[in-house]
Amino acid sequence: MKVGIVGCGVGGMAAALASARAGHQVTLLEAFEAPRPLGSGLLLQPTGLAALRALRLDQQVRAAGAVVGKLEGKDSRGRRVMDLDYNDWKPGAHGVGIHRGVLFQTLHDALPEAGVTVVTGARVVRVETPARPILHDVMGRMFGPFDLAVIADGSASPLRAALRPKARAPVYPWGAVWTHVADPGDQFGGALRQIYHRAEVMVGALPVGRDPDGTTPRGLALFWSVPVAGLDGFLAGDFAAWRDQRLTPLWPDLAALLAERDDWSGFSKALYRDVSVGRWNHGACTLLGDAAHGTSPQLGQGANLALVDAVELVERLGRDSRPVAVSLGAWQADRRRHTALYHVASKALTPLFQSHGGFWPTVRDWLFTPMSGLPGARQMAAWLLTGTLRLGRFPRVTRP
């Protein structure tokens, strides 16, 4: 088939690689002249790692990233709020923290060898004849017609409305600022750690391995949650005052890693959307990844879900002799058993960790946290953490 893909993010590049390696002729269209990753770090779960294994990239990713065996969360008084261990899913299991730039490079570097044609500076603004898609960019150029068009241009997708006019994608009221710091002593290795003050402050540290330049072999993604309305003001504020008066009292060891910095250089802001689309496809066009089902980052599943979307889409097309539009519908029906669960769970959990006032943190501390220790709850939480839980399908734990 002739396949057109919009968006050079994780989902778009994964779909391009999987399609090209399945023998399809693939054109990847990217709006920027020089594609680049957004954000600092992400946590690859067993599901995302399995998708990367299908793309023959998992060993490179594992070598560049950092093993994460558990998630720990404490409140500002030192009380344990969250304690999730991958061993509760499967002995020896773990995630991999990785710098977004490294994952981007790994996927991007594999495109030429797979035979993917990459066109940069192609900001696609219109889809013509979805049954046999032709993609038009802002400069008036036409690409196609394609047998399949995959729209993977992120949660803020400008093309989503062209396929599904009734789709909604409001911005979550809470965002975050991120940066990458060196952790030469590996004092934060092995776990994603977070500290909460009520639900109005959430600071986290995720080991991510090496940076894209290879200058920092042990890196850490540091994030601090901020209401979206105050993001610009936050980054215009006094950096030293934030580090010394707000971060240091909560987490002095983490603040020490920023001792040599004197401004907000290297920090970036992140916004998140609650994407509700309904049916993802229209004819032979489909949304994929965050463009189809973006959520808050509370469960950290965005990149993992996009990777699985891409691999399972190409697998479905390879074994289904029906028309593309029918195959897309069957693929979506199966994927929704996975993505819908995480959409609901992320939306439900977000207020417990990012909200104003005392109600939701009280619910978290007096209901959510004690319940998480009940028999069976830890394994259910581990299934949710690892990305292996789907509606109507419970994962079987296999012992090594």
Side-chain angles (χ1 to χ4, degrees):
M1 295 193 300
K2 291 184 65 177
V3 179
I5 297 174
V6 179
C8 202
V10 170
M13 288 192 287
L17 280 173
S19 298
R21 287 177 174 166
H24 304 303
Q25 181 182 339
V26 182
T27 302
L28 178 59
L29 305 172
E30 166 57 32
F32 293 108
E33 291 291 346
R36 63 183 188 275
L38 299 175
S40 177
L42 57 85
L43 180 56
L44 290 168
Q45 302 292 358
T47 48
L49 292 168
L52 287 166
R53 184 165 61 251
L55 296 173
R56 304 196 293 276
L57 297 175
D58 63 312
Q59 293 303 316
Q60 290 176 249
V61 167
R62 288 179 182 277
V67 170
V68 175
K70 56 186 176 178
L71 276 69
E72 300 175 349
K74 297 181 179 180
D75 67 13
S76 53
R77 289 185 282 181
R79 297 178 302 182
R80 191 172 299 278
V81 173
M82 182 172 60
D83 181 16
L84 300 178
D85 195 315
Y86 283 85
N87 283 305
D88 291 323
W89 176 65
K90 182 178 176 180
H94 59 267
V96 172
I98 193 164
H99 195 292
R100 284 182 181 270
V102 172
L103 180 60
F104 176 91
Q105 284 181 347
T106 303
L107 289 163
H108 194 268
D109 290 350
L111 296 174
E113 180 187 359
V116 176
T117 299
V118 180
V119 181
T120 59
R123 186 178 299 276
V124 178
V125 293
R126 185 164 68 90
V127 180
E128 180 185 351
T129 58
R132 180 83 168 140
I134 299 173
L135 304 175
H136 297 258
D137 76 355
V138 72
M139 298 170 61
R141 293 178 295 180
M142 295 170 46
F143 302 91
F146 296 106
D147 300 300
L148 168 67
V150 177
I151 310 302
D153 52 352
S155 64
S157 170
L159 284 178
R160 181 170 44 231
L163 294 186
R164 311 308 309 169
K166 294 183 179 180
R168 296 180 294 107
V171 175
Y172 270 102
W174 289 77
V177 293
W178 288 80
T179 193
H180 183 259
V181 296
D183 182 21
D186 200 27
Q187 61 177 314
F188 292 91
L192 165 58
R193 297 175 175 89
Q194 298 175 342
I195 292 179
Y196 322 104
H197 177 63
R198 294 159 60 97
E200 295 169 353
V201 170
M202 179 173 70
V203 56
L206 170 67
V208 293
R210 71 170 178 83
D211 64 1
D213 298 329
T215 56
T216 304
R218 294 189 182 93
L220 198 68
L222 181 157
F223 60 92
W224 178 279
S225 65
V226 182
V228 168
L231 269 172
D232 290 336
F234 182 87
L235 291 175
D238 187 322
F239 171 80
W242 166 76
R243 181 193 60 204
D244 299 338
Q245 298 171 24
R246 300 192 66 188
L247 179 58
T248 298
L250 282 176
W251 207 338
D253 290 342
L254 187 60
L257 298 181
L258 298 173
E260 302 300 320
R261 298 204 193 179
D262 54 12
D263 59 28
W264 296 106
S265 298
F267 278 79
S268 58
K269 58 185 179 181
L271 302 177
Y272 308 97
R273 293 177 181 268
D274 178 22
V275 179
S276 299
V277 173
R279 188 157 55 91
W280 301 346
N281 75 299
H282 182 193
C285 295
T286 188
L287 300 165
L288 182 146
D290 281 350
H293 46 71
T295 69
S296 82
Q298 205 58 57
L299 291 174
Q301 292 290 341
N304 298 282
L305 293 174
L307 286 165
V308 177
D309 279 355
V311 169
E312 292 194 0
L313 170 61
V314 176
E315 287 179 351
R316 167 73 65 171
L317 293 170
R319 68 176 187 264
D320 199 332
S321 60
R322 295 176 296 178
V324 170
V326 177
S327 296
L328 289 176
W331 163 75
Q332 181 197 332
D334 188 53
R335 290 298 301 131
R336 285 289 287 270
R337 298 164 63 197
H338 194 196
T339 61
L341 177 66
Y342 284 90
H343 188 274
V344 171
S346 293
K347 197 167 185 176
L349 290 174
T350 294
L352 302 180
F353 299 93
Q354 291 181 305
S355 60
H356 291 294
F359 176 76
W360 287 112
T362 300
V363 171
R364 178 192 69 203
D365 296 345
W366 293 97
L367 184 62
F368 172 78
T369 300
M371 286 181 63
S372 65
L374 295 176
R378 289 187 64 84
Q379 188 175 58
M380 182 65 73
W383 284 341
L384 194 64
L385 164 67
T386 56
T388 54
L389 195 58
R390 298 191 186 204
L391 292 172
R393 184 191 304 172
F394 289 85
R396 295 177 60 186
V397 180
T398 56
R399 304 290 175 179

